[in-house]
Amino acid sequence: MANLSQLKNTMLTTILLTLIIFLGFLMVVSFFFSVAADISLPPWATLVGALAIALVFMFIQYAVSPYIVRVSTRLRYLNPDENRWLEDMVKELSNAAGVPMPKLAVTPDPTPNAFAFGNSANNMTVAVNQGLLARLNEDEIQGVIAHEIGHIKHKDCVIMTFMSAIPLIAYIVVRMAFSFSYVGSSGRRSDRGSGGALILIAGAVALVVYFISQLLVLRLSRLREHFADAFSGYVTQSPRSLESALTRITYGLSLSPIESHGARALYIADPALARQEAGEIIKQKSDYDLDHDGVLDEHELGLAMEQEAKKQSTWRSLNAAFATHPPTYKRILLLRQIEQEIASRGTAPTNIYAHIR
């Protein structure tokens, strides 16, 4: 498991690499489309035009994404003093992070989960599922809320909104290129000439860029989850609280019959990944069922995750590359490192960013 400085370097490298690939993609595609359409403009002009269109698309997504989240999760904003304990906790953690206090909301979802969203420092929301408030204790809820405040402090909502637009733009170009090819093939091929071939090449380039950029964005998402976990561990001085919360959340999500939500990348834990992780452990249930009652409870699942954290496999690494969240066992490893550091040296809230920025 990488330490925090390595995670930081990897995250910055991932962002830079994604942006370089995106810029190169715009250069290639704008050139092919301009030649195919016989547009007599210099290459830099078509690149500027393509970049402008891409930025407009990104800002539209940036503007409307909070409204989509609100509608799709059916959240309800809390009235002042409706849940004073939760309000005071969020205020205390926001002050420690140096960010404006976010709005608080609750969703009717019975599964234990939480998320943060918004498009500016003064327009952020921390939302918790009813299941989280019902199933976790106060220390665990504090660990989860601190994780979400970490996302706000690190501007993850804004960064991921813009970065996730890159593979989406590439996908749109793929659809446009192959739609043009399909429509053109039903007409006179002589009218298309070499322009049609160039459009197909642009579509092929866009397809490759879509796949690569999607993997890079997913990697960035996992790294930012690690940094939010680290923030929670340092600011609460209790990494064990978030570790316990993640175990309970994974356990609760793995048992839920509710289908995974479309906005699951926002949550502190992905329900689909939780079911998969728990499923792997359940296959070895006899090894982890300490009381031999035929059922793995939360305590036994937590111990099982500790054991799973020591195992590595090629399949597990490949599978993790397509996930929005790190495996729970990796998150536990990082939190254990932070716990050991705090126990040995201590960390004042004023210098936690020496470790996670």
Side-chain angles (χ1 to χ4, degrees):
M1 182 67 201
N3 60 35
L4 290 174
S5 62
Q6 290 173 320
L7 285 174
K8 174 187 176 182
N9 292 336
T10 303
M11 183 173 64
L12 294 176
T13 301
T14 302
I15 293 175
L16 182 61
L17 183 59
T18 306
L19 293 176
I20 290 173
I21 290 174
F22 183 56
L23 185 59
F25 159 70
L26 288 180
M27 291 174 65
V28 172
V29 169
S30 61
F31 172 77
F32 282 150
F33 269 91
S34 63
V35 172
D38 196 24
I39 299 174
S40 57
L41 290 174
W44 65 265
T46 55
L47 174 60
V48 170
L51 185 59
I53 293 172
L55 289 174
V56 168
F57 181 87
M58 287 179 173
F59 276 103
I60 291 174
Q61 178 167 304
Y62 167 78
V64 304
S65 58
Y67 301 99
I68 295 174
V69 173
R70 289 173 196 168
V71 172
S72 62
T73 58
R74 298 179 294 124
L75 61 80
R76 178 183 66 83
Y77 283 100
L78 296 181
N79 297 317
D81 296 328
E82 183 176 343
N83 189 327
R84 191 58 183 269
W85 171 79
L86 186 62
E87 232 178 281
D88 290 343
M89 179 203 297
V90 173
K91 184 176 182 180
E92 180 181 347
L93 291 170
S94 300
N95 290 338
V99 299
M101 182 173 171
K103 301 171 187 174
L104 289 175
V106 174
T107 77
D109 195 323
T111 61
N113 228 327
F115 59 97
F117 70 96
N119 53 16
S120 69
N122 295 312
N123 187 34
M124 300 302 298
T125 296
V126 169
V128 295
N129 289 0
Q130 288 284 3
L132 186 89
L133 298 176
R135 299 190 189 189
L136 272 61
N137 63 39
E138 291 187 1
D139 288 340
E140 291 166 339
I141 293 173
Q142 183 183 46
V144 170
I145 297 296
H147 171 99
E148 301 305 334
I149 296 295
H151 278 310
I152 294 173
K153 176 67 178 180
H154 303 150
K155 298 180 173 58
D156 289 340
C157 302
V158 175
I159 291 172
M160 291 308 299
T161 296
F162 279 102
M163 296 299 290
S164 63
I166 292 175
L168 183 56
I169 291 171
Y171 177 75
I172 291 173
V173 172
V174 172
R175 294 296 302 268
M176 289 174 58
F178 286 98
S179 294
F180 176 88
S181 173
Y182 176 78
V183 173
S185 65
S186 63
R188 291 183 300 171
R189 193 169 295 275
S190 60
D191 291 342
R192 295 171 61 210
S194 61
L198 290 173
I199 294 295
L200 283 176
I201 293 173
V205 170
L207 185 60
V208 172
V209 170
Y210 166 74
F211 182 75
I212 295 174
S213 62
Q214 184 69 23
L215 287 178
L216 289 172
V217 169
L218 288 172
R219 186 188 194 196
L220 181 61
S221 176
R222 295 192 298 272
L223 290 169
R224 301 191 85 83
E225 290 298 327
H226 275 310
F227 269 75
D229 286 348
F231 177 87
S232 175
Y234 282 123
V235 80
T236 64
Q237 295 287 283
S238 178
R240 180 71 68 170
S241 295
L242 181 59
E243 180 185 331
S244 175
L246 289 173
T247 302
R248 282 178 177 265
I249 289 170
T250 301
Y251 179 79
L253 292 176
S254 69
L255 299 177
S256 173
I258 300 175
E259 288 298 318
S260 300
H261 195 277
R264 66 178 191 260
L266 289 175
Y267 288 91
I268 190 172
D270 178 4
L273 182 61
R275 292 191 191 101
Q276 181 181 313
E277 287 186 288
E280 289 183 45
I281 292 173
I282 289 172
K283 290 178 184 177
Q284 308 168 61
K285 184 168 65 174
S286 59
D287 297 333
Y288 299 123
D289 186 10
L290 302 179
D291 55 11
H292 305 291
D293 64 350
V295 178
L296 292 180
D297 58 28
E298 292 175 18
H299 173 67
E300 290 168 335
L301 185 64
L303 294 176
M305 284 183 176
E306 289 184 31
Q307 294 300 315
E308 289 295 306
K310 301 173 184 177
K311 301 177 183 179
Q312 297 292 337
S313 69
T314 302
W315 178 88
R316 181 176 285 180
S317 299
L318 288 174
N319 189 59
F322 294 90
T324 57
H325 291 66
T328 304
Y329 74 89
K330 281 193 173 184
R331 301 173 76 171
I332 288 174
L333 283 178
L334 179 63
L335 290 165
R336 289 285 172 85
Q337 288 180 3
I338 295 171
E339 185 177 29
Q340 291 171 4
E341 180 179 345
I342 291 175
S344 62
R345 292 187 295 173
T347 306
T350 54
N351 68 352
I352 59 174
Y353 289 99
H355 300 268
I356 60 176
R357 279 204 304 194

